[in-house]
Amino acid sequence: MVKMDGNNFIFFLTICVLSWRMELLKAQMVPAVYVFGDSLVDVGNNNFLPVSFAKANFPHNGVDFPTRKPTGRFCNGKNAADFLAEKLGLPSSPPYLSLSTNNITSHLTGVSFASGGAGIFNSTDRVFGQAIPLSDQVDDFMSVNKILMKLGSSAAQNQTSKSLFAFVIGSNDLFDYFGSSNLRKQKTPQQYVDLMVTTLKQQLMRLYAVGARRFFSAGVGAIGCIPLERVINKNHGCNAENNFWAVKYNDGLKGSMR
Ligand SMILES: *[C@@H]1O[C@H](CO)[C@@H](O)[C@H](O)[C@H]1NC(C)=O
Ligand SMILES: *[C@@H]1O[C@H](CO)[C@@H](O)[C@H](O)[C@H]1NC(C)=O
Ligand SMILES: *[C@@H]1O[C@H](CO)[C@@H](O)[C@H](O)[C@H]1NC(C)=O
């Protein structure tokens, strides 16, 4: 059983699937971190979505951020993506939607494509209406890759192959399943988590095909222990079924990365 200990970053590290030693990567010169995922790592992309309910650019979010202002992070301070970049000696990857396509420099130390509410499946964000699903996030990297090509193709290849591609996604797909009697009728939980794994892997393979070689994929946490679950649970304990399938998903993810 995965145990959420309240420290997002420790959690992020301990259940990472391809566990690179961060210090080692730093020594090997990681030029950039490209981040894909959901609200755990969104650094402000959803601020730019015209009709999304999944936004966080208002108080009291950001009270513990260095600027003390809300940024769009679903968090009081820095999130896991910020700490990951920090560990690698890089600035936080800026939100993709905040960047100008004319400015190559702003894409060189990393870009975040993450979007609160997003899932591995296209259909997962429908509750929020306007998150950016994973396949679109990967499309967005393909646009960045075209910008990097302006450096010349061998320098761009070098950049892509040495950069870290980090994924923190999957919780929303599981919430979606457990909240939908329709989905439960269509698939067993095992079939559903298996499909999550293969769909995520398809996206990793698209990046591999354009030269990405360093991947970091976090499993999902103990989603049955989020406050909402505990409030609706009669004894205010965690939802054991949700936690069980989160672990099953993580096992599948680990297996698929070998
Ligand atoms: C390749 O990228 C690394 C890391 O950014 C850099 O140190 C190195 O100079 C680059 N090599 C070439 C040939 O561009
Ligand atoms: C391009 O991006 C860099 C890094 O984000 C920034 O320092 C610079 O001011 C930008 N240049 C222009 C012309 O906006
Ligand atoms: C998800 O949507 C993209 C377009 O945004 C499409 O290319 C892709 O085939 C869709 N994937 C699935 C599994 O429906």
Side-chain angles (χ1 to χ4, degrees), residues 88-106:
L88 294 167
L90 293 168
S92 290
S93 307
Y96 171 69
L97 294 177
S98 73
L99 300 177
S100 152
T101 52
N102 299 323
N103 189 340
I104 303 185
T105 316
S106 59

Side-chain angles (χ1 to χ4, degrees), residues 29 31 158 162:
M29 297 281 296
N158 184 42
K162 293 200 161 50

Side-chain angles (χ1 to χ4, degrees), residues 43-251:
V43 289
N45 277 311
N46 280 14
N47 300 349
F48 295 88
L49 300 181
V51 276
S52 175
F53 293 119
K55 291 197 185 186
N57 53 345
F58 51 82
H60 302 291
N61 294 298
V63 288
D64 298 318
F65 198 72
T67 57
R68 310 262 175 245
K69 295 213 169 77
T71 58
R73 286 167 178 77
F74 293 74
C75 192
N76 58 313
K78 295 176 182 175
N79 68 25
D82 298 306
F83 290 118
L84 180 61
E86 226 166 68
K87 275 274 167 194
L88 294 167
L90 293 168
S92 290
S93 307
Y96 171 69
L97 294 177
S98 73
L99 300 177
S100 152
T101 52
N102 299 323
N103 189 340
I104 303 185
T105 316
S106 59
H107 297 77
L108 288 182
T109 54
V111 178
S112 171
F113 306 96
S115 165
I120 293 171
F121 298 131
N122 284 346
S123 51
T124 289
D125 70 317
R126 73 174 186 277
V127 217
F128 297 109
Q130 270 266 350
I132 306 163
L134 183 60
S135 74
D136 292 12
Q137 295 184 25
V138 173
D139 289 348
D140 290 340
F141 175 78
M142 297 304 172
S143 306
V144 167
N145 207 31
K146 291 206 181 87
I147 296 169
L148 297 176
M149 284 297 177
K150 294 181 190 163
L151 298 168
S153 82
S154 76
Q157 272 302 316
N158 184 42
Q159 162 95 6
T160 305
S161 67
K162 293 200 161 50
S163 295
L164 184 63
F165 290 76
F167 291 77
V168 181
I169 196 158
S171 310
N172 292 320
D173 302 280
L174 287 172
F175 288 131
D176 205 27
Y177 181 82
F178 289 112
S180 156
S181 51
N182 237 354
L183 279 174
R184 278 173 176 262
K185 268 181 228 143
Q186 288 163 11
K187 289 192 173 57
T188 65
Q190 187 66 59
Q191 288 168 335
Y192 189 81
V193 297
D194 288 348
L195 193 59
M196 281 171 66
V197 170
T198 51
T199 308
L200 173 64
K201 192 157 183 189
Q202 281 162 9
Q203 299 304 326
L204 299 185
M205 292 311 286
R206 289 178 66 200
L207 293 164
Y208 186 88
V210 298
R213 290 296 180 269
R214 291 171 167 174
F215 294 95
F216 176 96
S217 186
V220 301
I223 59 164
C225 296
I226 63 165
L228 177 65
E229 292 289 345
R230 300 185 64 155
V231 164
I232 61 183
N233 205 345
K234 259 181 259 146
N235 61 8
H236 299 307
C238 300
N239 180 321
E241 188 196 14
N242 291 12
N243 283 349
F244 178 82
W245 289 105
V247 171
K248 284 287 192 191
Y249 167 73
N250 293 341
D251 288 345

